Amino acid sequence: MILELTQLKNYLRIDHDLDDQLLTYIQSIAESYIQSAIDSTDDYYKTDPRFDYATALLISHWYENRSATTDVNLEDIPFGVQAFIQQLRGLISSA
């Protein structure tokens, strides 16, 4: 499905356009991150809603903790993303 910017902003509760470019950039990185973690060159998993939600969780984490002074460990993956990655890997192995 791939999240549209308006869907992503709604999920993040953003009602301005100031960070649109940043959100698009982070979304691209999050999608690449998940695709690499799934270890797939095919794109068919992108039609699964779990891909969109895992992407939204990762974008939210990186967007909300983008300051260099945050106490949050930015290397940690948000709760749920790893589980979704495992489930999406299952799609590949069963295909």
Side-chain angles (χ1 to χ4, degrees):
M1 278 194 275
I2 306 294
L3 287 170
E4 297 291 329
L5 182 60
T6 53
Q7 293 172 303
L8 182 58
K9 288 170 65 174
N10 187 43
Y11 175 77
L12 296 171
R13 297 181 179 164
I14 297 172
D15 60 0
H16 58 79
D17 298 333
L18 299 174
D19 291 336
D20 285 3
Q21 202 170 20
L22 175 63
L23 289 171
T24 302
Y25 176 69
I26 295 172
Q27 181 176 11
S28 173
I29 294 169
E31 290 171 359
S32 294
Y33 179 92
I34 293 171
Q35 182 176 2
S36 294
I38 294 170
D39 196 26
S40 174
T41 56
D42 295 328
D43 286 344
Y44 65 87
Y45 62 86
K46 289 184 179 180
T47 60
D48 192 297
R50 291 173 290 189
F51 177 78
D52 285 346
Y53 193 63
T55 303
L57 288 171
L58 203 50
I59 293 167
S60 174
H61 176 68
W62 288 340
Y63 178 76
E64 292 171 3
N65 298 293
R66 64 190 182 274
S67 173
T69 60
T70 184
D71 292 333
V72 176
N73 184 353
L74 297 179
E75 294 176 9
D76 289 342
I77 297 175
F79 179 77
V81 173
Q82 191 66 39
F84 285 125
I85 287 171
Q86 293 298 331
Q87 291 175 18
L88 292 168
R89 281 183 184 160
L91 291 177
I92 293 166
S93 63
S94 66

